[in-house]
Amino acid sequence: MAGKWDRSMGVLSHLRIIEIGSSAATAYCARLFADFGADVQKVEPPAGDPIRSSAPLTPRGQSAWFAFLNFNKSSIIIDPAGPDAIAKLTSLIEDCDILVDGRKVDPADCPPIDVVTIRQRRPELIHLEAIWFGEGPYEQFAATDSTVRALAGLIKLVGSLEGPPLHAPDFQSGILAGLWGFIASAASAVARLHGEPGRSWSVSIFESNLTPTEYLMFDAFARGDVMGRIGVNRFWPNFPVGIYETKKGWLGVSTVTPKQWWEFCEMLGLSELRDHLDLTSNEGRLQHMDQIDRQFIPRLKTRTAQEWFAEGLKRKLPVVPVPKVPELLQDAEKMASGAIVRVRLGEEEGKTVGSMQRLTLTPPLQGGDVPAVGGQQPFAGMRANEPSIPLTSPGGTDACRLPLQGIRVVDFSMGWAGPLCTRTLADLGADVIKIEAIQYPDWWRGVDRPPRYLEDRMYERAPCFCIMNRNKRGMTLDLKQPEGLGIAKRLLAQADIAVGNYSVDVLPKLGLGYDVLRALNPRLVMMSMSAFGSYSVHRDCRAYGSTLEQGSGLPGVVGGAGGLPVMSHIAFGDPVGGLNGCAAVLVALIHARKTGEGQFIDLAQVECMMPFLAPWITVHSIDGMPPRRYGNRHPQHVPHGCFRCAGEDSWIIVAATDAGMWQRLATIIGKPDWAKDPSLNSPEARRAIEDDIERSIEAWTLARDPDQAMLELQSVRVAAGVARLPIDLLKDPHLSSREFLQEVNRAFVGLHPQPSMPIRENATPYPIRTAAPTLGQHNAEILSGLLGLSETEIEQLATDHIIGTSMLSEAELPHPEHTAN
């Protein structure tokens, strides 16, 4: 536990963090610093952080959510009524490195302080504040996790065709925003090691939750209004991507390519489906979903999930058992990796979700203690020494200098997760060199190669590729040829970071394993972003973002009691893995900048999904009871649900988070007697008439279109959010007012919108500097400018197809395709 940990191992043990206010986003951000040894001091009022009362609760009434967000922190009580409250808090902040500020979400009785003046006195101070929305039409909106996710397009696509849309419990938006906050703060810590001053950031919780929606938003931009809710565990544009009952247990299935469809049907002995020409494509299968499922469902029930999984491994299929919470807690592999760790909550001891940032040389803390109000950890105040290698200033500070300027990244990743990680590094100023091959480019450019596709260079028009690879330089290299491999090694010898999301054995087999690269460049940080990790028994399982959600256990806590596990997204694991990967490499980069020592990061993307079900893991580990599933209701807030509005498939999320909000809600829906009844001020009392309350809310919302209902409810400070489709976000008034969508011009595509990062230093976001590279666009620039190759040498590489700018046809391919997660 915490007292036994050697703090000298803590990468961030030289940092002191002060956390003020109350929000899940800032709490999780600070928790990530604590994972790596930072001294985190959480400032609380005498009554404690309001999250301490958040359900679900342990048998002794302690919040499992608070426990997950706060173990290994210390607590300092500051009474705002005390005569020295402001002076005491100001002194704490002036002695810290990073101020993590949740007051704009919930001030939690924090004394008023002047952060601007403090930063003038201490320009090295890093300040991060969380906001629900930021300046704009939604700025004053009352919000909850679910209302924000509804507005971010993360709810309307989930659930039965008839509705209502289903949404996961309230433990998601703060994790996504906390990751973004940590990325901003850690990038600033990297810059500070080079003599730069601290930076002041804001992180929008709403915009952070657009990260999983980006792909769908821009697919909608390219294809039009083609997305809608198509059923539980069904998601456009791929089918089948869902969860099926077996003889024992549930099986997650993702068949995307024609080959996977053929193999899956073959595995089930369904030759008629296998050979049906109309079902070769996803488009065809989407038109026959019910017909397909009628044949799949009885066949899958003939064997267990584990048996199907074993068979799927042989066929290289992305199928995986969907674990329940008790099974996760019995998983020795997850305990050994630190995905599940021990946690002590006063007299109770249980388990929770550990750090996902699996640094192998300087690992995170494995479990710890949750502080009582005012409780200090044994290691609090014991700062490690400052960096052992003296670092020089870059020669004065530049207001336009980005925090990761001067960092070089070699990017071997494809698809969504890895490219999102490296795009974020690029957005923050790193020089990211994306490596593709003309034989097998990034598969998000397209995997089929009909002649017309190549002739028209359709692979340059893929919207998802364009949004994930902006601000990068692109080059092509055939890594299976000695010349290509040699060039890659020369690039890596000069790099700070290398990222790959191939299957675990691909880069080592090519001669680019960490043992080789460490000898070339001891300061290199190398991250493998595989689906299950290098040492997992599932290491050879093929995976998409859907597979990661299925294998994490999250679907088992979504949906109603007794129902099937419910997925929340077509590929939830991809963006979550990408953000966690970015956080991990920044921690390792801080260590490398302090010590000159690089390391290997073995990121298991499936584990990155587990924080979303952390409270259920903790409660079950202590009380042993099956986790309760609430559907669209909530363990704490009553009422809380998704209600139909006027118009076709129109819905709104409404929640009452306290007695005052309940009274205002009851009044506006025409139930003044409820508002005046003091016996209904507690959520427990309202739970007894929850059906009646929900019927009354829906009678009111049915008379209004969703935006009208939202504005009326928000006018009296009731939390409400329209369930948007991804395409709606392209014209969202709040995003427009904040210039979140930036217009970028690119060859073959023209002007198209790009999402900004949800973190910003000023009123406007960082501008997007360059569009995504065309295939091999920067070959000559990199080979000549960085490596000093002559024009003749570069021409020979092109002649030998080591490099190039056009995708090869199937007939021109000399060897099998690499396999990427």
Side-chain angles (χ1 to χ4, degrees):
M1 301 294 275
K4 298 179 181 179
W5 188 54
D6 180 2
R7 276 185 54 79
S8 67
M9 294 174 61
V11 178
L12 306 180
S13 56
H14 62 292
L15 296 176
R16 176 169 293 155
I17 317 297
I18 297 296
E19 179 191 336
I20 60 177
S22 175
S23 80
T26 47
Y28 190 54
C29 172
R31 161 52 222 276
L32 293 171
F33 279 100
D35 284 343
F36 288 93
D39 178 7
V40 179
Q41 297 285 335
K42 184 180 185 69
V43 175
E44 302 186 78
D49 185 333
I51 298 177
R52 287 183 181 271
S53 61
S54 293
L57 305 176
T58 67
R60 291 181 178 267
Q62 299 188 83
S63 170
W65 181 224
F66 181 87
F68 166 73
L69 294 173
N70 292 287
F71 69 86
N72 287 321
K73 300 179 185 178
S74 295
S75 169
I76 294 178
I77 300 172
I78 296 185
D79 187 343
D84 60 346
I86 295 174
K88 185 176 179 181
L89 181 55
T90 300
S91 176
L92 282 172
I93 294 170
E94 289 183 336
D95 190 40
C96 81
D97 299 282
I98 303 175
L99 174 63
V100 180
D101 186 349
R103 291 175 300 160
K104 287 189 176 178
V105 175
D106 185 341
D109 292 330
C110 183
I113 49 167
D114 187 348
V115 176
V116 173
T117 300
I118 293 172
R119 292 194 71 247
Q120 288 172 347
R121 291 196 294 266
R122 286 206 60 230
E124 67 270 33
L125 176 67
I126 298 166
H127 178 219
L128 173 86
E129 71 172 1
I131 51 178
W132 276 117
F133 296 102
E135 189 173 344
Y138 301 165
E139 183 176 8
Q140 300 301 320
F141 275 15
T144 68
D145 181 296
S146 293
T147 61
V148 163
R149 285 188 289 122
L151 285 166
L154 291 175
I155 286 174
K156 193 169 184 178
L157 293 176
V158 183
S160 67
L161 190 61
E162 302 77 19
L166 279 171
H167 54 96
D170 263 12
F171 305 108
Q172 294 193 3
S173 71
I175 292 171
L176 291 167
L179 281 163
W180 274 111
F182 180 81
I183 288 166
S185 304
S188 298
V190 170
R192 208 175 72 163
L193 286 172
H194 290 271
E196 294 187 29
R199 294 170 182 257
S200 185
W201 298 88
S202 67
V203 56
S204 163
I205 299 171
F206 170 50
E207 291 169 11
S208 297
N209 280 265
L210 295 175
T211 307
T213 313
E214 285 181 357
Y215 150 53
L216 300 170
M217 286 171 65
F218 294 99
D219 233 16
F221 169 78
R223 304 193 200 196
D225 189 6
V226 295
M227 269 174 255
R229 195 172 58 261
I230 57 176
V232 177
N233 293 329
R234 292 177 174 180
F235 299 92
W236 187 92
N238 300 322
F239 182 85
V241 172
I243 295 173
Y244 291 88
E245 188 176 6
T246 70
K247 187 177 182 180
K248 181 182 179 183
W250 298 89
L251 187 73
V253 173
S254 299
T255 60
V256 176
T257 68
K259 185 177 188 302
Q260 289 167 350
W261 167 254
W262 195 95
E263 286 286 354
F264 190 68
C265 291
E266 180 79 5
M267 183 174 79
L268 268 60
L270 295 171
S271 57
E272 181 182 344
L273 288 180
R274 179 197 65 195
D275 299 331
H276 199 303
L277 292 179
D278 290 347
L279 304 181
T280 303
S281 68
N282 276 293
E283 292 83 356
R285 296 196 292 273
L286 284 169
Q287 294 174 18
H288 298 88
M289 293 183 295
D290 292 337
Q291 171 193 340
I292 293 169
D293 272 351
R294 279 195 294 271
Q295 296 192 57
F296 276 1
I297 289 170
R299 195 61 59 94
L300 284 165
K301 289 181 179 178
T302 63
R303 302 177 74 178
T304 69
Q306 287 294 337
E307 289 170 339
W308 286 124
F309 173 63
E311 186 64 31
L313 282 177
K314 298 175 189 174
R315 297 174 178 270
K316 299 182 179 180
L317 283 170
V319 298
V320 65
V322 179
K324 298 178 180 178
V325 168
E327 293 167 333
L328 292 172
L329 286 165
Q330 295 163 12
D331 190 330
E333 182 179 289
K334 288 184 169 51
M335 291 290 289
S337 72
I340 294 179
V341 296
R342 296 188 179 277
V343 64
R344 184 178 295 121
L345 308 81
E347 297 179 3
E348 292 176 301
E349 186 168 316
K351 295 174 183 174
T352 191
V353 177
S355 173
M356 303 301 105
Q357 290 73 46
R358 196 188 292 174
L359 279 62
T360 56
L361 180 66
T362 55
L365 186 59
Q366 299 272 314
D369 296 343
V370 180
V373 179
Q376 291 284 301
Q377 300 287 351
F379 50 73
M382 298 169 54
R383 289 206 207 195
N385 293 329
E386 289 302 310
S388 57
I389 292 179
L391 297 166
T392 58
S393 168
T397 58
D398 180 352
C400 297
R401 185 178 176 88
L402 298 172
L404 297 184
Q405 208 161 318
I407 303 300
R408 180 162 296 148
V409 182
V410 179
D411 179 9
F412 294 104
S413 67
M414 296 186 178
W416 190 350
L420 173 61
C421 166
T422 53
R423 185 194 81 182
T424 304
L425 298 172
D427 287 350
L428 291 167
D431 176 19
V432 176
I433 299 173
K434 181 177 179 67
I435 307 294
E436 301 179 79
I438 56 174
Q439 293 81 4
Y440 298 100
D442 188 321
W443 59 264
W444 236 354
R445 290 183 182 271
V447 294
D448 294 328
R449 301 168 191 246
R452 189 68 184 269
Y453 190 86
L454 297 178
E455 291 167 12
D456 294 344
R457 299 186 73 174
M458 295 301 294
Y459 52 85
E460 295 293 6
R461 306 173 192 273
C464 298
F465 176 87
C466 292
I467 64 167
M468 289 303 157
N469 293 286
R470 65 172 185 233
N471 288 335
K472 302 177 185 180
R473 294 196 283 174
M475 74 175 298
T476 50
L477 280 177
D478 184 352
L479 298 175
K480 289 195 171 183
Q481 300 302 314
E483 298 89 345
L485 182 62
I487 291 169
K489 287 182 176 179
R490 290 180 63 186
L491 286 172
L492 289 161
Q494 301 179 23
D496 299 285
I497 297 167
V499 175
N501 67 336
Y502 291 113
S503 298
V504 293
D505 293 327
V506 170
L507 287 176
K509 285 181 178 177
L510 288 169
L512 295 174
Y514 180 64
D515 55 340
V516 174
L517 300 184
R518 179 174 53 189
L520 285 173
N521 182 355
R523 64 186 176 85
L524 181 70
V525 172
M526 183 176 185
M527 180 168 65
S528 167
M529 297 178 63
S530 65
F532 294 91
S534 299
Y535 301 101
S536 171
V537 295
H538 294 170
R539 70 192 300 273
D540 296 322
C541 179
R542 301 302 172 94
Y544 292 102
S546 50
T547 319
L548 304 173
E549 181 182 2
Q550 294 158 355
S552 72
L554 176 61
V557 300
V558 182
L564 72 166
V566 176
M567 294 171 60
S568 300
H569 195 279
I570 179 64
F572 203 175
D574 279 316
V576 174
L579 294 181
N580 277 277
C582 187
V585 295
L586 289 173
V587 175
L589 184 62
I590 290 171
H591 175 76
R593 291 299 186 184
K594 287 169 56 182
T595 66
E597 186 176 42
Q599 62 179 298
F600 181 69
I601 303 170
D602 183 20
L603 189 87
Q605 290 191 57
V606 70
E607 295 176 358
C608 297
M609 292 295 300
M610 291 177 60
F612 298 128
L613 65 155
W616 279 264
I617 288 174
T618 298
V619 171
H620 180 77
S621 72
I622 296 173
D623 70 12
M625 300 297 291
R628 182 174 175 184
R629 299 169 68 189
Y630 287 85
N632 283 345
R633 290 179 174 179
H634 193 275
Q636 183 176 359
H637 306 317
V638 182
H640 181 281
C642 190
F643 302 95
R644 191 184 297 272
C645 298
E648 184 179 354
D649 199 33
S650 297
W651 304 86
I652 187 171
I653 300 287
V654 180
T657 61
D658 57 41
M661 191 177 291
W662 154 249
Q663 292 163 3
R664 297 191 297 274
L665 172 60
T667 300
I668 199 171
I669 65 171
K671 294 291 184 178
D673 291 346
W674 281 350
K676 295 173 184 176
D677 186 346
S679 69
L680 293 177
N681 284 346
S682 75
E684 294 78 17
R686 297 195 294 274
R687 186 83 70 188
I689 59 167
E690 197 162 11
D691 289 341
D692 293 338
I693 293 172
E694 289 174 350
R695 280 192 290 269
S696 295
I697 294 173
E698 188 148 290
W700 185 86
T701 59
L702 271 170
R704 294 157 175 83
D705 72 51
D707 280 278
Q708 178 190 358
M710 177 175 71
L711 293 175
E712 287 188 41
L713 290 166
Q714 289 287 357
S715 71
V716 293
R717 297 287 295 162
V718 171
V722 175
R724 303 275 193 219
L725 285 172
I727 197 170
D728 300 333
L729 297 166
L730 296 171
K731 296 182 179 179
D732 182 272
H734 185 82
L735 297 178
S736 298
S737 74
R738 283 175 55 81
E739 301 176 44
F740 178 79
L741 297 175
Q742 301 184 43
E743 288 287 320
V744 175
N745 198 6
R746 182 181 182 275
F748 301 98
V749 177
L751 277 176
H752 64 285
Q754 288 264 353
S756 301
M757 290 188 295
I759 49 177
R760 55 179 72 183
E761 292 190 73
N762 302 301
T764 56
Y766 279 178
I768 294 167
R769 305 184 302 281
T770 59
T774 56
L775 191 63
Q777 178 179 341
H778 301 100
N779 284 344
E781 177 182 309
I782 294 167
L783 292 170
S784 173
L786 284 185
L787 302 184
L789 271 66
S790 68
E791 187 173 327
T792 301
E793 289 173 310
I794 294 172
E795 288 175 353
Q796 187 61 49
L797 290 170
T799 300
D800 296 339
H801 284 173
I802 306 300
I803 64 171
T805 56
S806 298
M807 186 174 174
L808 296 186
S809 68
E810 292 282 355
E812 295 172 295
L813 295 181
H815 43 66
E817 183 176 356
H818 297 169
T819 303
N821 290 111

